[in-house]
Amino acid sequence: MAESDRIAAQAEAEVAPARVAAGARVARAATPALFLLPAGVLIALFFLVPVATTLYLSLTDISTLTFRQPRWVGLANYRDLLTDPFLPRILLNTVRYVVLTLLFNVGMGLTLAVLTTAVRPGIGNQARALWLLPRILPPVVYVLVWQGISREAPYGLLGILTGSSRGWITSHPWATVVLANGLVGASFGMLIFTSAIRSISPELFYAAAVDGATTWQTVRRVVLPLLRWPILFVTAYQTLSLLTSFEYILLLTDGGPGFYTTTVWSLHAYKLALSNYYGNVQFGLGAAMAAVLVVVGVVVSVVYLRVFNFRQLVGEPRIEVS
């Protein structure tokens, strides 16, 4: 009996440190987990659950006709998408819309930030406030302004100036769509880039001036390298936003003029799922198109993180010792 007690006490003594270490690890992990819990709940509610619901609906034939008893159809909706004869044109429109508008948004936002931070603060603040007006306008009012400007002569401003007898929305639909979106989207990049430029240490600008750097050399050698992280954020955010946005296209051209001239992926999904002309909206087919957008968004995000070398951006800064 005494021997068994001794063995039990020895075993307990050997296990106790392991228990203490495990308890310490749990205690260390509990605090970060507690802080991450609210964000985790929000991500689950507003991202994971909608994505799972979209994927499930995309595998059914749910529509207004089958709303009460939808059937499981597997990948049939995805096969229907692949056999759609207008799919290549819609894909090309989507790529054109995202690339052109993204270039305008990021380029114009960066240009505005550099210009408005190079002048006196009062003038720069007023210029930025003026550029924010399209963003704070309701989209319907903003599009009404564009329609008024771009109508044919003698009703529209551009028609009067150019003498054109055709409206600019009809004759130049893509230019109108890109400019209308770009003027709104550039304000987002302008604010982010302005904040980033103002956070750069003034000593760097003084050193560049002492070295005789021109304005362009200062922007290229000092400002742009320090804006890699904001540029990555704005580019990734704007790309994902453009992939899913269609309100200005809907209000300006409704996907026309003509047949699918400016119809993009998200607008086509919206019409299939929620606004079918014949009344039989196809939720399952629209969900399949939305699921494809989710996959494309994840792939694009990964590509951006690799192109901008995300590990280096968030890593410890290198200290050069000469």
Side-chain angles (χ1 to χ4, degrees):
M1 192 63 182
E3 182 63 19
S4 63
D5 291 343
R6 187 185 65 79
I7 295 174
Q10 185 179 358
E12 181 66 25
E14 293 175 353
V15 172
R19 289 180 177 173
V20 172
R25 285 196 296 270
V26 172
R28 284 197 299 270
T31 303
L34 186 62
F35 280 104
L36 290 174
L37 182 61
V41 171
L42 291 176
I43 290 173
L45 284 177
F46 294 104
F47 182 76
L48 298 181
V49 172
V51 167
T53 304
T54 300
L55 291 175
Y56 170 74
L57 293 177
S58 71
L59 301 174
T60 68
D61 69 343
I62 185 170
S63 66
T64 48
L65 297 178
T66 63
F67 189 77
R68 293 183 180 278
Q69 293 180 333
R71 290 184 301 112
W72 180 268
V73 296
L75 299 176
N77 288 323
Y78 296 93
R79 286 196 295 270
D80 291 343
L81 285 180
L82 292 176
T83 57
D84 187 344
F86 299 105
L87 186 68
R89 183 164 191 176
I90 293 172
L91 280 174
L92 181 61
N93 288 344
T94 305
V95 172
R96 176 188 295 175
Y97 167 65
V98 172
V99 171
L100 293 179
T101 311
L102 181 67
L103 290 174
F104 186 92
N105 285 356
V106 178
M108 183 59 72
L110 191 57
T111 303
L112 288 170
V114 171
L115 292 177
T116 56
T117 52
V119 298
R120 287 188 299 175
I123 298 176
N125 292 337
Q126 292 178 13
R128 284 190 293 274
L130 186 65
W131 202 272
L132 281 174
L133 286 178
R135 179 169 288 278
I136 63 177
L137 282 177
V140 173
V141 176
Y142 179 64
V143 169
L144 285 175
V145 173
W146 268 93
Q147 289 176 340
I149 293 174
S150 60
R151 290 186 66 184
E152 69 279 6
Y155 306 106
L157 177 62
L158 291 176
I160 295 174
L161 293 176
T162 62
S164 174
S165 59
R166 295 183 62 191
W168 277 67
I169 296 178
T170 304
S171 57
H172 301 85
W174 275 113
T176 308
V177 166
V178 171
L179 282 176
N181 277 273
L183 291 177
V184 176
S187 59
F188 176 76
M190 176 188 68
L191 295 178
I192 300 294
F193 297 143
T194 299
S195 301
I197 292 173
R198 285 183 170 176
S199 69
I200 297 175
S201 174
E203 283 76 11
L204 294 176
F205 294 107
Y206 299 153
V210 169
D211 289 341
T214 62
T215 303
W216 168 243
Q217 289 171 332
T218 303
V219 171
R220 183 184 174 191
R221 301 292 185 184
V222 178
V223 175
L224 291 182
L226 294 174
L227 293 187
R228 284 184 63 196
W229 173 252
I231 291 175
L232 166 63
F233 170 72
V234 172
T235 304
Y237 178 85
Q238 294 280 17
T239 303
L240 300 180
S241 176
L242 289 170
L243 282 172
T244 57
S245 69
F246 58 85
E247 66 269 24
Y248 292 118
I249 300 178
L250 176 69
L251 294 170
L252 279 169
T253 66
D254 196 20
F259 220 50
Y260 294 98
T261 303
T262 56
T263 299
V264 295
W265 191 274
S266 55
L267 177 60
H268 194 52
Y270 163 74
K271 288 187 174 180
L272 284 176
L274 299 172
S275 181
N276 191 294
Y277 178 77
Y278 300 101
N280 181 26
V281 291
Q282 304 173 66
F283 303 119
L285 194 55
M289 297 194 72
V292 173
L293 272 185
V294 172
V295 175
V296 171
V298 172
V299 172
V300 168
S301 300
V302 172
V303 169
Y304 279 145
L305 293 179
R306 293 187 67 85
V307 169
F308 281 86
N309 199 350
F310 182 72
R311 288 182 182 277
Q312 184 181 1
L313 284 175
V314 299
E316 292 289 336
R318 295 179 178 178
I319 300 176
E320 297 181 357
V321 179
S322 59

